[in-house]
Structures are given as structure tokens and as C-alpha cells.
């Protein structure tokens, strides 16, 4: 791997240098050949015995600079002054053939100084879940971390009971979070914040000239990202500030899930007891997270604290409108509309209201539009939608093509993920590979009786998802 480790050149208080903890008997579950080639890596070499030892954490690759990053964060609104990579090690950064820089991280690689009494390991279920969902998000065109490999460790770890251990190799444009800034802001370490701002601007936002520019750029990316989540019915489940990615990628797929029946108040996370991170609250929470980010940057925005607060507040208060514009754009396309009209958001909201009342499946309702079938036929909503389409400058063929490109037929259904995990734990990875293959082509037309497009039967409904820690 052609490593060039810029994060390791930051001051040592940003991390702890350490190697992953070796595992007993690594075995490869899955290798993402396409991602490996995109990164300029040789899949055959990664599948070799030497490659496997690196993916399991038993051997540090040449040129790597392994470290655990420190950060803080608000978790379900409560302040945690020190978090950090409690079960992950950043092997280092590689530069792909196009000059783009990516982190390569092992998740489940053992204890670190930030483990908070945990074992630092991951079990196979969450590793499979993150592999499936992160790659599905990529295929849907949503910014996300990626899964390069999944490896079992030959060890048993304890969660609700004994579980097979596993390690995920995760790839991201970086692993810098709002919580990274919060860690230093809480310590009033302005010098560290300055270094981090310079690093993030150089790495992610070269157009930003200063901290205020950076704040506005991060806010804009977060607004777009959350709108993309909402457009596919995705619920992150743990939108803590330590999971708010500075570059606007989806990160940390713990108790995440996708809507079956549309319900804006829906949660799946077993630890979200009060619905803080419900589907419909995600825009509000993202704005709250950006307010925490803005607070960290105040000393760099202006020497005058009042002017700094005013500028930062103005930037954060712009986020709801940025999100609303992005959301309307996403749902306008899902309805097949190319032109913008003032009532488009209401048209989408009225459909969602009908869907909630009828307990309609989110994905299949929108996919039906793509196939020329109007949901709620004969309703006032169908009449309004057809009239709106008639006013659109694009013809019917272009409208149908747009809907087919924006309304997936296949999403990572919660019950199918659980079925794949259960089979994998029993040693059968065929459902895992079949699901990944289907999710790699989410917009491909499928028959109505295809199992990958079917909502769960009553006995298959998943009501809770879990972090895996």
C-alpha cells in the first residue's frame, strides 16, 4: 500500500501511536475487489497470506503509521470529554492513482487508550452490517465510508453472549469528526484547533480561505448528505457529534436501518430510548451538530467574541434552508420533475402524508412511480402530480428515466441484513454475497416477486438494531 500519512504529522496529542492487536486465526470473509482496484491495490496480493495478516492486524504493512485517534463528542446530547478510537486503528493514508487521499482503518483491532473498559473488538454481525450498508450507500450515490475487507479472527468475544470475532477494513476520505474539534475546544487548545483547521482545509476544502469558510462548507455538505439519507429512507441511529464526519460522509453504521413502512417518527436503535435520532428528526439533529462545530471555531472566526458568535450563528441558521432546498431537490427528482416550482415541496409532503396514513412501503411506493404506476390512484394527490408533470418541460420519457435513476428497487432491507448475519454466523455466507450483489445495482429493474424487493412479512419485521459494542 502506497502510504503517505499526513494525520500522523499532526502533533502527538491528536492520537496515540500503536499497532493493532494480533488475532488467533484470521480467515477472509470478503474482499472488495472493485474498491481495491480503485485504490490502486492488487486484490490478489490482499487475498494472499501476507495480505490477510495485514487485514487482520497481525502484521503492520510497510509504510503504515498505525495510530488511534482521540476525539470527544455529544452522545445522545450528553457531553463526553474524551472518546476516541476505542476499537479501531488507522493504519495510515494511501493516495489512489487519481491523487485522492484515503484512510485505511481496521475496526475491531483491539484495545486502545480510548476503549473505556471495552475489549476493542468487533463481532461478525456488525462487521457484516457495515460492509453491506456502506457499500449499498455507495451504490446509491451517497457519500460514505467504504468496506475493503471483512475478516474473522478465530476468536470468541462476549456481547449478549459468545460471538465470533471479526475485523472490518474501512476506507474513508478521513476519519475527522466534529468530535475531533470538540476534544481540543474543550481543552481551550486553540493551537491544536488551528492545526486541525489547516489540515482539514488542505485535505477536504482547499477552496476555504479561513475557519468561517470551512464552517459554511461543512454545513453545506451536511445539509446535502442528510437530504440524501432522507430520500432513501435511511436512519443513521447514532447521530452523535463524534459520528458527524467533517467531509460530509456517512460514518459508523451501528444501529442504522432503512424504513419499510413510512413513519417520520420511526427509530430502530435499541439505545435511542427517546427518539432523538428518529428518521424525521435527522435534519434538526444535523443542525444541532453543526452548532457544536461552530462553537469550536469561534476563536478562529474573529478575535472579537461577539462578532465571532454573530458570524457563526448566521452560518448555522442558514442550514435549515440549505437542507430544505436539498430535500426538495431530492424529492422533486423522485417525482420525475426536472423544473422547479414553488409547490414542489408540498407535493412531496402530501405524498408522504398519504404514505404514513396508509402505512405504505417507502421504497416500493416511489419505485412504483418509476414503473408508471401511480400510488393512491384516483386520489387528489395523483391528480395534482399528473398536472404538475404536465407542466414540466421534460417529456414523459425523460421523467420516467429520472425516476428510475433516483428511486431504487433494492435497499438494504433490515430483515435481509439480519438473515445474512444469522447465516454468516452459522458459516454460510451465500446470503451475504447475494445481498451485496443485488445492492450493487440498486436501480436495476426487478420482478415484483423478486425477494430483494419484497417488504418483510409480519414475522420478519426487525424492530430493533444494535451497536455491537
Amino acid at each position: 500500500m502506497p502510504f503517505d500519512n499526513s494525520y500522523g504529522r499532526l502533533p502527538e496529542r491528536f492520537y496515540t501511536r500503536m499497532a493493532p492487536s494480533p488475532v488467533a486465526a484470521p480467515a477472509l470473509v470478503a474482499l472488495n475487489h472493485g474498491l481495491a482496484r480503485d485504490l490502486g491495490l492488487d486484490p490478489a496480493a490482499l487475498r494472499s497470506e501476507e495480505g490477510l495478516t495485514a487485514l487482520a492486524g497481525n502484521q503492520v504493512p510497510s509504510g503504515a503509521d498505525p495510530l488511534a485517534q482521540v476525539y470527544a463528542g455529544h452522545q445522545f446530547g450528553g457531553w463526553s470529554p474524551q472518546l476516541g478510537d476505542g476499537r479501531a486503528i488507522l493504519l495510515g493514508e494511501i493516495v489512489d492513482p487519481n491523487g485522492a487521499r484515503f484512510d485505511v482503518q481496521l475496526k475491531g483491532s483491539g484495545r486502545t487508550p480510548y476503549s473505556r473498559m471495552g475489549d476493542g473488538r468487533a463481532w461478525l454481525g456488525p462487521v457484516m452490517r457495515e460492509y453491506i450498508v456502506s457499500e449499498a450507500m455507495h451504490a446509491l450515490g451517497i457519500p460514505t465510508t467504504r468496506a475493503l475487507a471483512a475478516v474473522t479472527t478465530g476468536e470468541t468475544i462476549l456481547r449478549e453472549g459468545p460471538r465470533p470475532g471479526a475485523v472490518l477494513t474501512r476506507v474513508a476520505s478521513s476519519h475527522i469528526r466534529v468530535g475531533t474539534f470538540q476534544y481540543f475546544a474543550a481543552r481551550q487548545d486553540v493551537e491544536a484547533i488551528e492545526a486541525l483547521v489547516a489540515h482539514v482545509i488542505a485535505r477536504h476544502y482547499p477552496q476555504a480561505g479561513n475557519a468561517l469558510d470551512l464552517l459554511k462548507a461543512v454545513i453545506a455538505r451536511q445539509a446535502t448528505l442528510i437530504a440524501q439519507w432522507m430520500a432513501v429512507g435511511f436512519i443513521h441511529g447514532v447521530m452523535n457529534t463524534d459520528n458527524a464526519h467533517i467531509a460530509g460522509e456517512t460514518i459508523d453504521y451501528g444501529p442504522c436501518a432503512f424504513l419499510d413502512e413510512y413513519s417520520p417518527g420511526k427509530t430502530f436503535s435499541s439505545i435511542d430510548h427517546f427518539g432523538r435520532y428518529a428518521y424525521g428528526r435527522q435534519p434538526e439533529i444535523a443542525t444541532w451538530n453543526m452548532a457544536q462545530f461552530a462553537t469550536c471555531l469561534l476563536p478562529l472566526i474573529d478575535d472579537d467574541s461577539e462578532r465571532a458568535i454573530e458570524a457563526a450563528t448566521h452560518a448555522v441558521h442558514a442550514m435549515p434552508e440549505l437542507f430544505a432546498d436539498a430535500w426538495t431537490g431530492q424529492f422533486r427528482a423522485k417525482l420525475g420533475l426536472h423544473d422547479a416550482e414553488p409547490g414542489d415541496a408540498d407535493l412531496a409532503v402530501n405524498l408522504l402524508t398519504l404514505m404514513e396514513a396508509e402505512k405504505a412501503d417507502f421504497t416500493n411506493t416511489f419505485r412504483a412511480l418509476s414503473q408508471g404506476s401511480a400510488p393512491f390512484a384516483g386520489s387528489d394527490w395523483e391528480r395534482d402530480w399528473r398536472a404538475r408533470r404536465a407542466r414540466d418541460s421534460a417529456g414523459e420519457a425523460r421523467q420516467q428515466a429520472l425516476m428510475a435513476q433516483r428511486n431504487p428497487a433494492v435497499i438494504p432491507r433490515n430483515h435481509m441484513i439480519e438473515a445474512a448475519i444469522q447465516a454468516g454466523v452459522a458459516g454460510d455466507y451465500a446470503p451475504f454475497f447475494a445481498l451485496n450483489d443485488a445492492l450493487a445495482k440498486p436501480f436495476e429493474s426487478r420482478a415484483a416477486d423478486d425477494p430483494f424487493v419484497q417488504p418483510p412479512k409480519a414475522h420478519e419485521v426487525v424492530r430493533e438494531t444494535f451497536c455491537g459494542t
Side-chain angles (χ1 to χ4, degrees):
M1 295 184 182
F3 285 104
D4 178 43
N5 307 311
S6 64
Y7 200 86
R9 294 192 284 271
L10 288 168
E12 291 192 357
R13 59 190 184 278
F14 281 72
Y15 47 77
T16 297
R17 279 194 164 88
M18 60 182 300
S21 300
V23 302
L28 186 66
V29 173
L31 177 69
N32 190 335
H33 286 230
L35 176 57
R37 286 189 288 267
D38 288 346
L39 294 171
L41 306 177
D42 179 5
L46 291 173
R47 296 187 75 93
S48 70
E49 183 176 349
E50 184 179 4
L52 178 59
T53 62
L55 295 172
N58 285 13
Q59 176 181 319
V60 175
S62 175
D65 184 16
L67 55 86
Q69 295 176 317
V70 66
Y71 46 84
H74 281 91
Q75 299 191 307
F76 291 89
W79 172 243
S80 295
Q82 180 173 298
L83 298 169
D85 290 334
R87 55 176 178 151
I89 293 290
L90 175 63
L91 286 181
E93 304 157 24
I94 61 174
V95 179
D96 76 3
N98 297 317
R101 181 178 297 271
F102 294 94
D103 282 3
V104 178
Q105 184 194 69
L106 299 184
K107 190 172 181 180
S109 52
R111 284 190 177 96
T112 77
Y114 316 118
S115 295
R116 292 171 289 156
M117 298 173 59
D119 61 10
R121 293 300 190 186
W123 76 272
L124 180 60
V127 165
M128 292 177 67
R129 176 183 292 275
E130 181 155 350
Y131 193 111
I132 292 166
V133 182
S134 63
E135 286 306 299
M137 294 286 270
H138 173 72
L140 289 166
I142 299 174
T144 178
T145 60
R146 302 283 307 276
L148 179 60
V151 172
T152 53
T153 64
E155 299 173 346
T156 298
I157 62 172
L158 295 177
R159 291 298 182 261
E160 298 84 2
R163 299 287 187 268
V167 176
L168 177 77
T169 305
R170 182 163 73 181
V171 175
S173 64
S174 79
H175 284 84
I176 303 170
R177 312 145 188 268
V178 168
T180 315
F181 285 85
Q182 288 182 292
Y183 176 81
F184 297 108
R187 289 155 179 77
Q188 299 183 335
D189 190 344
V190 177
E191 181 182 336
I193 298 172
E194 287 177 332
L196 191 56
V197 165
H199 179 83
V200 168
I201 287 176
R203 186 163 182 174
H204 295 302
Y205 299 97
Q207 75 281 7
N210 54 43
L212 182 58
D213 288 346
L214 175 63
L215 173 61
K216 292 177 179 178
V218 173
I219 286 171
R221 282 202 194 173
Q222 283 288 319
T224 300
L225 176 67
I226 308 306
Q228 290 176 294
W229 289 0
M230 304 293 279
V232 295
F234 177 71
I235 306 172
H236 185 278
V238 276
M239 287 181 67
N240 300 328
T241 56
D242 56 296
N243 291 335
H245 194 283
I246 287 297
E249 292 182 346
T250 313
I251 189 171
D252 285 341
Y253 294 91
C256 65
F258 283 76
L259 291 173
D260 292 311
E261 295 177 357
Y262 175 70
S263 173
K266 184 65 178 175
T267 61
F268 289 90
S269 169
S270 64
I271 56 176
D272 191 1
H273 303 298
F274 301 104
R276 177 180 173 87
Y277 299 143
Y279 169 80
R281 291 199 67 191
Q282 292 181 129
E284 171 191 344
I285 293 299
T287 304
W288 191 90
N289 288 346
M290 290 299 96
Q292 312 317 307
F293 179 47
T295 301
C296 299
L297 300 180
L298 290 177
L300 276 63
I301 290 175
D302 200 296
D303 292 335
D304 183 293
S305 62
E306 290 188 6
R307 287 200 301 265
I309 291 170
E310 182 180 2
T313 300
H314 186 266
V316 172
H317 283 186
M319 187 170 181
E321 185 174 349
L322 290 172
F323 168 77
D325 289 345
W327 185 94
T328 302
Q330 290 287 328
F331 279 83
R332 180 183 291 121
K334 289 175 76 67
L335 296 176
L337 306 173
H338 288 71
D339 306 333
E341 284 192 8
D344 290 345
D346 290 338
L347 184 66
V349 168
N350 291 342
L351 174 58
L352 293 173
T353 301
L354 273 175
M355 289 166 61
E356 182 180 11
E358 298 295 326
K359 301 186 184 304
D361 184 84
F362 183 89
T363 300
N364 289 351
T365 298
F366 281 101
R367 186 65 183 182
L369 296 175
S370 312
Q371 298 170 328
S373 173
F376 313 114
S379 65
D380 290 344
W381 183 86
E382 185 201 8
R383 181 201 64 213
D384 293 344
W385 176 60
R386 293 198 182 281
R388 174 65 182 85
R389 285 184 66 183
R391 296 195 302 272
D392 197 65
S393 65
E396 184 174 348
R398 285 182 62 205
Q399 291 173 347
Q400 291 297 138
L402 178 61
M403 286 186 284
Q405 294 164 2
R406 302 300 285 272
N407 294 316
V410 182
I411 59 163
R413 297 269 183 184
N414 308 317
H415 69 291
M416 302 207 77
I417 295 172
E418 291 301 324
I421 290 172
Q422 290 175 20
V425 169
D428 177 12
Y429 294 108
F432 169 78
F433 288 116
L435 181 55
N436 277 305
D437 286 345
L439 292 169
K441 303 176 287 288
F443 301 102
E444 190 174 89
S445 294
R446 290 178 174 267
D449 60 353
D450 188 303
F452 290 109
V453 306
Q454 293 297 309
K457 298 179 175 63
H459 69 280
E460 296 175 320
V461 172
V462 172
R463 304 192 186 281
E464 276 192 318
T465 50
F466 302 88
C467 270
T469 53

